[in-house]
Amino acid sequence: MIIAEQKPLKEIIRNLEGHKKILVAGCRSCVAICLAGGEKEVGIVAESLKLYSDMHGRIWEVDEITVERQCEKEWVKEIKKIVLGKDAILSMACGVGAQVMQETYPDIRVVPGLNTSNMGAPEEQGVWREKCAGCGDCVLHLTGGICPIARCSKSLLNGPCGGSQNGRCEVNPETTPCAWDQIYHSLKKLGKLELMEEIIPPKNWITSHSGGPRRIVKQEAILTSEEKAVKGGME
Amino acid sequence: MSSQMKIVGFCCNYCGYASADLAGLNHMEYSPDVMIIRLPCSGRVDVLHILRAFREGADAVFVAGCLEGNCNYEYGNIEAKKRVEYARRILSEIGIEGERVEMFNVASNMAWKFKEIVDEMVSRVERIGLSPLKKVTP
Ligand code: SF4
Ligand code: SF4
């Protein structure tokens, strides 16, 4: 899932300066799971903004809403009633959700409430770790199911580097295990240690962000113009 | 005699509230400016409740739960403590003194301690003054 964390309240307050009617909009998907932008967090931020507003002569009118997924316009459109009339939306979704919100309501300023960080998973309650950098050309089959791009600090395709010590990464030994040490142990468990010997050739990075913004097309899922006409009518 | 001061105390049913009750039974005197909200467990308290108490005019808020290790729901009081810390952080970012919020641990037979808690919060408010919100909103 997408991992994000809340921006400092002070920064949020600064970015909302000059607005009057504010909607704090959360998302029930990834950012709710990583405890950054779900209903609960939206409630706390909205209440904090109300407190701040009251202290400064009621500068804001603050409303709140949380949608199922802010990255899909169908869900975002559903809150039209509450959005109209606002002059700023504090999006407590990931950067994708915030952008879809802005596309759907182009006349209302969308201000991000979160810093979107990475694609990862919970390590333990309250701790999340990056797992995939979205390179677009997955090599997990060669690396025992552990991503060298996202989890090795140097994104080495043929590791470990000389800095790997006692299973820790030299870049940050306290918090970061060496991905290549983990790859070794995983391959050993899988009985595939010979893959360690295989030299992974340089990757074609064109599938990564280096190739520009990516666009995935699934031909069979695209609606025909007739289907679009029917669906459009139902929206 | 009641003052302008308003203190909200979120008290768990098992110890916080029981100690307040015992203080009453023992005719112990404490400030009448405290408003007690009884919760099944201090772990029920939410950051939102604390923030809202301030918006509704509280000058200080405290949470009273069981002694650590003695929570009827095992770690509700630990959760409460974390939330009190979180609420404090938010308040200070907004410009409200963090010390207006505090977590206390008491046992049900510690009536004297309950009185001490209230006294402590009253003296804090006396020292730092009424909530900054009161100065701006009529
Ligand atoms: S190799 Fe690429 S696609 Fe596969 S997990 Fe790593 S970053 Fe993601
Ligand atoms: S120590 Fe391991 S994880 Fe860190 S950069 Fe070297 S190979 Fe990568």
Side-chain angles (χ1 to χ4, degrees):
Chain A
M1 65 179 166
I2 293 176
I3 315 290
E5 65 180 341
Q6 197 196 304
K7 276 183 180 288
L9 207 48
K10 280 202 173 124
E11 187 185 334
I12 292 179
I13 289 170
R14 188 169 3 102
N15 293 345
L16 286 172
E17 252 166 34
H19 291 288
K20 181 114 197 60
K21 294 188 174 173
I22 292 161
L23 178 66
V24 183
C27 176
R28 277 201 196 93
S29 297
C30 315
V31 294
I33 314 288
C34 67
L35 310 179
E39 212 148 7
K40 188 123 208 161
E41 293 77 27
V42 163
I44 293 172
V45 167
E47 193 63 32
S48 309
L49 294 178
K50 285 178 196 168
L51 252 179
Y52 182 87
S53 164
D54 284 1
M55 274 177 65
H56 293 83
R58 304 233 155 87
I59 48 171
W60 293 323
E61 255 173 57
V62 181
D63 262 318
E64 57 181 89
I65 189 108
T66 301
V67 299
E68 214 49 45
R69 267 197 293 283
Q70 241 182 75
C71 55
E72 289 184 75
K73 63 175 186 292
E74 284 80 357
W75 296 105
V76 174
K77 272 185 189 163
E78 274 186 3
I79 57 166
K80 190 168 182 176
K81 267 205 186 110
I82 183 162
V83 169
L84 294 182
K86 301 286 184 295
D87 59 9
I89 299 169
L90 179 72
S91 170
M92 298 287 289
C94 70
V96 184
Q99 293 183 51
V100 170
M101 187 66 93
Q102 185 70 83
E103 280 159 26
T104 316
Y105 302 106
D107 302 329
I108 299 166
R109 182 150 180 254
V110 173
V111 173
L114 305 184
N115 286 325
T116 304
S117 173
N118 61 72
M119 285 184 274
E123 192 165 82
E124 59 173 277
Q125 192 166 314
V127 181
W128 293 270
R129 192 182 286 280
E130 181 164 17
K131 295 262 195 245
C132 169
C135 75
D137 181 17
C138 198
V139 298
L140 288 178
H141 56 296
L142 299 173
T143 57
I146 289 155
C147 173
I149 311 294
R151 294 170 70 177
C152 164
S153 305
K154 297 169 191 164
S155 297
L156 297 179
L157 276 172
N158 298 283
C161 72
S164 176
Q165 280 202 10
N166 304 320
R168 311 304 293 177
C169 168
E170 68 168 346
V171 172
N172 201 339
E174 273 94 67
T175 59
T176 314
C178 166
W180 274 99
D181 179 79
Q182 292 177 309
I183 290 170
Y184 168 79
H185 287 290
S186 173
L187 288 175
K188 196 167 167 192
K189 243 192 214 116
L190 294 167
K192 288 265 176 221
L193 257 190
E194 70 275 9
L195 285 176
M196 269 314 268
E197 303 287 329
E198 205 169 294
I199 308 289
I200 307 180
K203 254 168 98 79
N204 178 1
W205 288 100
I206 226 132
T207 54
S208 77
H209 190 71
S210 333
R214 287 160 283 184
R215 182 167 177 259
I216 304 269
V217 178
K218 187 159 181 164
Q219 209 54 51
E220 59 278 24
I222 294 179
L223 300 180
T224 63
S225 45
E226 291 82 15
E227 283 169 327
K228 271 184 190 158
V230 174
K231 200 168 176 241
M234 288 192 309
E235 260 176 10
Chain B
M1 205 189 70
S2 179
S3 65
Q4 260 193 302
M5 194 187 293
K6 237 191 230 169
I7 294 173
V8 176
F10 292 104
C11 298
C12 81
N13 180 46
Y14 292 92
C15 288
Y17 191 80
S19 64
D21 203 25
L22 192 62
L25 272 174
N26 289 340
H27 302 287
M28 287 181 170
E29 255 186 59
Y30 58 81
S31 167
D33 301 325
V34 62
M35 189 185 193
I36 294 177
I37 297 176
R38 183 182 187 172
L39 302 174
C41 172
S42 59
R44 177 64 187 88
V45 87
D46 197 281
V47 179
L48 202 53
H49 299 143
I50 300 175
L51 297 179
R52 185 148 309 156
F54 281 99
R55 205 152 65 82
E56 302 280 335
D59 299 290
V61 173
F62 69 85
V63 180
C66 303
L67 296 175
E68 284 189 15
N70 272 0
C71 174
N72 208 60
Y73 300 97
E74 292 201 24
Y75 50 78
N77 49 1
I78 308 280
E79 293 293 330
K81 187 173 154 192
K82 289 196 267 184
R83 291 183 198 145
V84 163
E85 276 161 22
Y86 184 18
R88 260 194 185 174
R89 250 194 347 259
I90 293 178
L91 289 174
S92 30
E93 280 192 78
I94 296 174
I96 298 177
E97 301 85 351
E99 59 181 319
R100 289 184 191 271
V101 196
E102 193 64 84
M103 170 83 200
F104 293 98
N105 299 92
V106 283
S108 57
N109 59 357
M110 289 159 84
W112 56 272
K113 169 88 186 195
F114 187 83
K115 174 185 155 45
E116 258 182 33
I117 292 172
V118 178
D119 290 351
E120 163 68 29
M121 294 317 280
V122 168
S123 63
R124 279 192 200 185
V125 176
E126 279 169 353
R127 181 163 46 81
I128 50 182
L130 295 179
S131 159
L133 243 116
K134 288 196 167 141
K135 293 180 200 128
V136 285
T137 46

